[in-house]
Every structure is written in structure tokens, then in C-alpha cells.
């Protein structure tokens, strides 16, 4: 182990010379320091709660923030126990929460038992954090895995009732968060009107651009009690989408980034990702590895391999625009079909191909892809023919993007070119990889702010390749809400989209919520959990539909079956 430079931290008498990385058995400090001598207590506040994540069968990252702006670093003790009373403590130690990481502390707790539940807490001076709990990943004896799948939680768009429901749902082994955990906009940006109505304001009061901006944005989100409850209830497995940096991001920029006023895109990404790794309960990227590399695989015994991909900043080309398209056939056969257009980049495509083959060859029942955006092909129904005349007239009078979008729906083009529909050759390669690997592919998706259940087919020969469970948002509004406030549009769209698109089996374009995914060796079942409202803390959670894929006697999974909630 290497010692830190000798520089006084604060009036507690702790020096960096007296701090060693990863001291002690059974845990490793991540980006923090373990204390080698008894130190004076320094009080702090745990206003961001506790969190755990990035699980393996034998380890887990635990996280907190011990905030005291009057000192440069706070000694923080931690305990991990087999019981909520902490009578059977299995790991304990002390680390430093310092300004260099915004007073956050992450500890990699090691040498744990597979498939086991543990409890943890932190202490700073006289202050004691809330108690969190987690379960390590199962070994081969595991029979069932229960996962909550979440995405898109704009703070100003509503209350976090879905997070509260996740916290109160028993038996959840982990929460898979597919991105848009924070949004970068200021209060006058995306859905700002709702934020003002509800009095939900995220700091700072402008777009997040700098490191301090993104840190403040995370801190504002993590003060929410419902989000804290979800983190305390189960481990999180996380990937970012676009809003952790800026809207509709890609390798070279974003729709919501202006170089002339906001500086370089590279600098903004670096700031955003530094804050992300500080604030999320996950291991930092490896030494020498680019921060944008986020590909990881989680093994749930013989039940599932959860394979996470990074489809925003590593290999994604800039999204095409449908504006000005008048010849759909030429557009789709030309620029849209270009095989050079990629979501992942060639190195990540090769890595994913290898992971699918490895998992399937090992006999793992399900190959689950943690993915940001909707994968199923989805063309727009002709809403000029489907919407009642009074809605059409109101939309045309309103004008702007909504009016143009409804008129363009006559062309039957893909709904969203910022999703996999904008990169069809890349999607075809991915589905071909799954078919070649003989994988039982389950794709988990977010981003769209709507619920979807879909069968996935390779477009070249319409061969079945897997299923997709796409979750609605925690709070963020769906696109149809922006077209009209008339509720008839929700039922029209929910019926018209599956009729237009063979693979789409279920659509709900209105409700907010999450997907509760249960995996066994025999089946992958998704319960679509909707919130009655996110505009009030007085709400009800209900099951909208249940979608299920079964493995037959051959071990191959078939198309989805649906049942009422």
C-alpha cells in the first residue's frame, strides 16, 4: 500500500500520512482512507441517507455522505452485521469522508456469504445514520431472483411514490436503475412548470454544467425521503442514460449542450461522471480505464447473467433528425440504414457478444441486458386519422413541435431516433449475436417514460430473438402528455401502437411506476406497477399487466404471454 502525501487535513490532528488505502481485513475503502490511529470525533449530518450497490456473491459497496462544511474531512465509522440489532457484526472500520469527494464515502465490503442479507450503518461523532440492508448475489443454489427496474426520475415532475413503493415491496433482491437518475435542467427547463406547482426545486437554479453543479444536483435529489428509503431497502445496480450528463447525449455532444456558453463537452462529461461515481454506490472505474466505460456483468447463480451496457458516451453516433424528411423510403434505405451508425461501438459490441456466448454456454437460464433505451422497432401510427377531430384541431392551433409531430405521423416513420430505432443496423447485430449464442435474451429498457412489453425479432428474417420489458418513468412525463391534456389520447395510443407494430404486445403511455421482475430457471415474469398519481403523496400502486416468457423443455424461451394485473 502507498502512503498519501503528508498534509494536515484539519484541526482534528489527522494527517494524510496517517491514512492508508484499504487498511484492514474484509473491506476496501474506495476513494477514501482508513484511519490508523484513534482520532477526535467530528460530528456530521447524514442528510443523504445510506446506499448499497454493485453486488457480487461475496461483496457489496456501501455508501454514505457525512457532511460538515467546517472541516476538510470527517472520520466515519461503519458496521455491517447479520442482524438489524447489530449483535452479530461481521465487518467494521473507519474511513474519511473528505471534500475531495464531496464528503461521500464508499466501502467495498468483502468476503461475505452468497445469497445472504446484511445490515449496515455509519457513525460520525455522535451522529448515527439510518440502517440500510442488502442481499448478496445468490450462488448456484438460488431458486428465484426478484428485481425492481426503474428509470427517469425528474425531481420537479412529481413525488417519488414509485421509489417509496419499491422500498415497501418485500423480497426485492436489487434495484436496477437504467438511467436518468438525475436531470441536468434548471427550474425553467424540462417540466419546470410542474416543479413550481409542487414546490419541488432541485439545486442549483440553472443547468448543471460544472462539477459543483452536478454535486449539488445529486445532493438535492438524495435529500428526498422516498429515494433514501429505496436505497436503504435494497442494493442498486446502476447505469447512466443521457440526463446524468445532458439531454440526448452521444460521444461528441448533446442536444442540451452549447459549447459557446457551457464550455467543452469533454469537460462537462468529466465533471458529470466524477459526481456520478462519487454519489452512486458502485465501484469506481479501474485504474487506466476511461470513466465512460461502464460495462459490467452480475451473475445471479444459474438463474441469470445481468449484462450492463453503456450506450451513450462510449460508441454512440449523433442521432439523426426526422425534421424535413419527405421521402421515408429514401431516408430509411439511406442514412438510417448505414451500418457504420452504432450505439455501442465495435469494442463493446464484441464484448457483449462474448458475454452472451459465455453465459449461455455455462447453462445460465437467462441473459438479461441492462440497457438504456427502447429496443423494439416502433413505428408511429397515423394520428391524423386516429385522433378525434376536436383534439386534432386543438393540437394544430397549439402549433409547435406537437403539431409537426402529429402531422409527420402520416409517414409511419420510427417513433424515436434517439433509441435503437435510430440505429437499426446496430440493433440487428445485437439480436444476431443473441441468436448465435442461443441466448434466452431479456432486454430491460427505460428512457421513454412509458411502459412496453415486446417480443424482439431480427428484422432480416423475422426470427424471434428475445423479449423486452421496458419500464415507465418514476416521475418524468411521457410525450403524449405534451401533445394534449385530453385523456382520450392515452387509450388511443395504447391500442394503436401494438396494432401498428407486430412485436409490441403491451403499451401504457400514461402511468408512472416501475417493473417488478421475477426470474426463475423456468420463467421471466414482469409485473408492471403503476402509480395512481405522482402529483400527490396520497397515492395507490396497482399492477397494470403481467408479461411472462417461459422456457420450454428444450430450455429455449418463447414469446410473451400477457395476463391482467
Amino acid at each position: 500500500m502507498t502512503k498519501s502525501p503528508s498534509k494536515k487535513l484539519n484541526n482534528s490532528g489527522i494527517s494524510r500520512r496517517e491514512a492508508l488505502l484499504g487498511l484492514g481485513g474484509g473491506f476496501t475503502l474506495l476513494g477514501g482512507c482508513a484511519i490508523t490511529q484513534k482520532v477526535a470525533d467530528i460530528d456530521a449530518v447524514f442528510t443523504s441517507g445510506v446506499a448499497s450497490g454493485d453486488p457480487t456473491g461475496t461483496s457489496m459497496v456501501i455508501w454514505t455522505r457525512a457532511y460538515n462544511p467546517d472541516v476538510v474531512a470527517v472520520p466515519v465509522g461503519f458496521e455491517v452485521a447479520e442482524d438489524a440489532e447489530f449483535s452479530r457484526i461481521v465487518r467494521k472500520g473507519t474511513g474519511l469522508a473528505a471534500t475531495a469527494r464531496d464528503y461521500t464515502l464508499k466501502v467495498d465490503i468483502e468476503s461475505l456469504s452468497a445469497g445472504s442479507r446484511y445490515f449496515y450503518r455509519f457513525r460520525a461523532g455522535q451522529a448515527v445514520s439510518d440502517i440500510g440492508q442488502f442481499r448478496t448475489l445468490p450462488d448456484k443454489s438460488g431458486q428465484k431472483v426478484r428485481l425492481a427496474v426503474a428509470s427517469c426520475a425528474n425531481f420537479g415532475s412529481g413525488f417519488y411514490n414509485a421509489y417509496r413503493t419499491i422500498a415497501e415491496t418485500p423480497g426485492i433482491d436489487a434495484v436496477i436503475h437504467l438511467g436518468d437518475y438525475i436531470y441536468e435542467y434548471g427550474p425553467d427547463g424540462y417540466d419546470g412548470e410542474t416543479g413550481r406547482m409542487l414546490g419541488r426545486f432541485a439545486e442549483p437554479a440553472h443547468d448543471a454544467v460544472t462539477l459543483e453543479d452536478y454535486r449539488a444536483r445529486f445532493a438535492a435529489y438524495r435529500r428526498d425521503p422516498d429515494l433514501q428509503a429505496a436505497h436503504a431497502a435494497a442494493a442498486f445496480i446502476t447505469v447512466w442514460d443521457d440526463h446524468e450528463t445532458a439531454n440526448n447525449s452521444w460521444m461528441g455532444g448533446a442536444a442540451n449542450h452549447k459549447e459557446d456558453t457551457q464550455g467543452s463537452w469533454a469537460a462537462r462529461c468529466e465533471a458529470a461522471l466524477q459526481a456520478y461515481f462519487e454519489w452512486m454506490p458502485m465501484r469506481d472505474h479501474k485504474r487506466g480505464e476511461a470513466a465512460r466505460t461502464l460495462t459490467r456483468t452480475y451473475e445471479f447463480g444459474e438463474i441469470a447473467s445481468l449484462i450492463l451496457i453503456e450506450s451513450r458516451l462510449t460508441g454512440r453516433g449523433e442521432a439523426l433528425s426526422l425534421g424535413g424528411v419527405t421521402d421515408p423510403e429514401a431516408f430509411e434505405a439511406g442514412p438510417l440504414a448505414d451500418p457504420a451508425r452504432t450505439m455501442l461501438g465495435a469494442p463493446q459490441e464484441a464484448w457483449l457478444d462474448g458475454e452472451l456466448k459465455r453465459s449461455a454456454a455455462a447453462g445460465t437460464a437467462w441473459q438479461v441486458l441492462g440497457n438504456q433505451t427502447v429496443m423494439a422497432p416502433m413505428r408511429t401510427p397515423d394520428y391524423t386519422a386516429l385522433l378525434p377531430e376536436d383534439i386534432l384541431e386543438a393540437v394544430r392551433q397549439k402549433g409547435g413541435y406537437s403539431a409537426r409531430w402529429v402531422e409527420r405521423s402520416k409517414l409511419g416513420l420510427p417513433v424515436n431516433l434517439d433509441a435503437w430505432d435510430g440505429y437499426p443496423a446496430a440493433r440487428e447485430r445485437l439480436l444476431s449475436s443473441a441468436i448465435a449464442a442461443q441466448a434466452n435474451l431479456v432486454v430491460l429498457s427505460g428512457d421513454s417514460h412509458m411502459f412496453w412489453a415486446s417480443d424482439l425479432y431480427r428484422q432480416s428474417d423475422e426470427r424471434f430473438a428475445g423479449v423486452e420489458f421496458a419500464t415507465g418513468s418514476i416521475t418524468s412525463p411521457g410525450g403524449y402528455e405534451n401533445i394534449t391534456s385530453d385523456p382520450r389520447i392515452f387509450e388511443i395510443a395504447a391500442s394503436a401502437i401494438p396494432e401498428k407494430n407486430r412485436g409490441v404486445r403491451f403499451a401504457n403511455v400514461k402511468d408512472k411506476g416501475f417493473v417488478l421482475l421475477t426470474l426463475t430457471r423456468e420463467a421471466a415474469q414482469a409485473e408492471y406497477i403503476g402509480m395512481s398519481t405522482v402529483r400527490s403523496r396520497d397515492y395507490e400502486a396497482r399492477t397494470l399487466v403481467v408479461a411472462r416468457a417461459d422456457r420450454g423443455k428444450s430450455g429455449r424461451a418463447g414469446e410473451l404471454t400477457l395476463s391482467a394485473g
Side-chain angles (χ1 to χ4, degrees):
M1 301 293 181
T2 58
K3 292 187 177 180
S4 304
S6 61
K7 179 182 179 181
K8 290 294 181 182
L9 287 176
N10 53 53
N11 57 11
S12 72
I14 308 166
S15 72
R16 295 188 187 276
R17 185 179 299 281
E18 294 161 342
L20 296 175
L21 288 172
L23 181 72
F27 67 88
T28 300
L29 274 294
L30 301 176
C33 294
I35 307 304
T36 65
Q37 67 174 44
K38 184 175 178 59
V39 298
D41 286 342
I42 299 176
D43 288 328
V45 288
F46 294 105
T47 54
S48 302
V50 300
S52 64
D54 216 355
T56 74
T58 59
S59 66
M60 183 73 69
V61 173
I62 61 173
W63 178 99
T64 196
R65 187 187 193 223
Y67 184 60
N68 183 336
D70 296 328
V71 298
V72 180
V74 178
V76 182
F78 59 88
E79 295 175 320
V80 179
E82 294 176 333
D83 63 313
E85 292 71 36
F86 289 83
S87 64
R88 300 191 303 277
I89 295 175
V90 296
R91 298 287 181 274
K92 64 180 179 179
T94 306
L96 288 178
T99 54
R101 291 181 70 92
D102 202 18
Y103 294 97
T104 64
L105 177 70
K106 293 193 287 189
V107 189
D108 192 352
I109 306 298
E110 300 161 336
S111 302
L112 301 173
S113 298
S116 299
R117 189 167 298 280
Y118 293 91
F119 300 83
Y120 64 99
R121 65 187 177 189
F122 298 87
R123 187 186 303 274
Q126 299 303 306
V128 181
S129 74
D130 292 337
I131 295 172
Q133 60 179 304
F134 62 78
R135 184 181 292 277
T136 52
L137 301 189
D139 58 18
K140 292 184 178 181
S141 65
Q143 298 298 308
K144 181 173 72 172
V145 175
R146 208 164 188 229
L147 304 168
V149 184
S151 178
C152 304
N154 187 46
F155 187 82
S157 292
F159 296 107
Y160 285 162
N161 298 334
Y163 282 143
R164 174 61 60 178
T165 303
I166 289 172
E168 295 175 351
T169 301
I172 290 179
D173 295 301
V175 178
I176 303 173
H177 202 292
L178 297 174
D180 295 346
Y181 182 96
I182 64 168
Y183 280 66
E184 82 283 11
Y185 292 100
D188 294 327
Y190 178 66
D191 206 22
E193 183 177 347
T194 302
R196 288 187 289 276
M197 179 184 70
L198 298 177
R200 285 175 68 83
F201 304 106
E203 301 168 2
H206 55 261
D207 281 13
V209 177
T210 68
L211 175 59
E212 292 308 313
D213 291 343
Y214 284 105
R215 284 172 166 176
R217 188 61 52 88
F218 271 105
Y221 275 57
R222 289 288 272 276
R223 284 194 292 269
D224 186 274
D226 299 320
L227 177 54
Q228 288 187 19
H231 272 293
F236 270 52
I237 297 172
T238 61
V239 293
W240 56 67
D241 192 19
D242 53 340
H243 290 289
E244 285 84 353
T245 50
N247 181 49
N248 288 359
S249 57
W250 57 287
M251 286 189 297
N256 190 33
H257 180 74
K258 300 176 178 62
E259 294 264 345
D260 56 342
T261 59
Q262 296 175 322
S264 76
W265 173 241
R268 186 175 186 180
C269 277
E270 182 179 356
L273 298 190
Q274 179 176 334
Y276 187 87
F277 279 107
E278 288 172 351
W279 278 84
M280 300 304 284
M282 61 191 300
R283 294 170 184 85
D284 293 350
H285 51 88
K286 298 175 182 177
R287 186 182 299 274
E289 180 182 68
R292 298 185 182 195
T293 303
L294 200 62
T295 49
R296 303 177 184 202
T297 301
Y298 300 86
E299 299 294 347
F300 291 82
E302 294 181 341
I303 298 173
S305 296
L306 172 61
I307 306 168
L308 297 188
I309 57 175
E310 197 294 300
S311 65
R312 279 291 175 187
L313 307 176
T314 303
R316 178 194 279 249
E318 186 174 9
L320 297 174
S321 172
L322 290 174
V325 174
T326 57
D327 187 340
E329 291 186 5
F331 175 73
E332 294 199 55
L336 189 60
D338 185 354
R341 292 183 50 71
T342 175
M343 287 275 273
L344 307 180
Q348 191 177 179
E349 285 186 5
W351 174 83
L352 175 58
D353 180 73
E355 288 298 281
L356 292 170
K357 289 177 178 176
R358 178 198 56 76
S359 175
T364 305
W366 302 97
Q367 288 67 50
V368 182
L369 187 63
N371 153 76
Q372 290 84 350
T373 58
V374 173
M375 186 170 290
M378 203 173 297
R379 295 182 178 277
T380 312
D382 182 0
Y383 288 113
T384 64
L386 292 170
L387 293 177
E389 187 59 37
D390 59 322
I391 294 181
L392 280 175
E393 181 59 28
V395 171
R396 287 165 178 155
Q397 289 292 326
K398 178 181 177 182
Y401 177 81
S402 294
R404 295 193 300 272
W405 189 87
V406 168
E407 287 302 315
R408 193 167 58 233
S409 71
K410 293 185 292 187
L411 301 178
L413 286 162
V415 173
N416 182 12
L417 297 188
D418 190 55
W420 283 92
D421 260 340
Y423 306 80
R427 176 176 56 202
E428 193 80 346
R429 291 193 296 270
L430 190 155
L431 296 180
S432 293
S433 288
I435 291 171
Q438 296 187 321
N440 286 320
L441 180 67
V442 174
V443 176
L444 305 178
S445 306
D447 182 68
S448 74
H449 310 171
M450 307 174 206
F451 287 108
W452 314 99
S454 303
D455 292 316
L456 298 173
Y457 303 97
R458 184 166 61 185
Q459 296 296 288
S460 59
D461 57 5
E462 297 190 349
R463 181 172 174 178
F464 176 73
V467 299
E468 180 176 30
F469 303 130
T471 183
S473 66
I474 297 293
T475 57
S476 304
Y480 289 93
E481 297 172 58
N482 296 324
I483 294 174
T484 176
S485 60
D486 192 311
R488 288 175 292 173
I489 196 171
F490 300 128
E491 292 186 8
I492 292 169
S495 174
I497 294 171
E499 289 179 3
K500 178 76 173 180
N501 299 279
R502 174 195 173 204
V504 180
R505 303 289 306 282
F506 167 75
N508 179 303
V509 303
K510 173 188 176 185
D511 291 302
K512 313 294 178 275
F514 65 97
V515 167
L516 185 59
L517 177 65
T518 302
L519 299 168
T520 65
R521 291 180 178 86
E522 293 75 33
Q525 178 174 289
E527 298 175 58
Y528 289 71
I529 311 297
M531 304 298 108
S532 59
T533 183
V534 296
R535 300 291 180 91
S536 167
R537 293 190 185 277
D538 183 13
Y539 74 98
E540 293 182 359
R542 63 195 186 281
T543 300
L544 305 173
V545 76
V546 178
R548 179 184 175 102
D550 290 285
R551 295 176 71 213
K553 294 181 179 179
S554 66
R556 311 302 321 133
E559 297 165 323
L560 291 174
T561 58
L562 303 181
S563 58

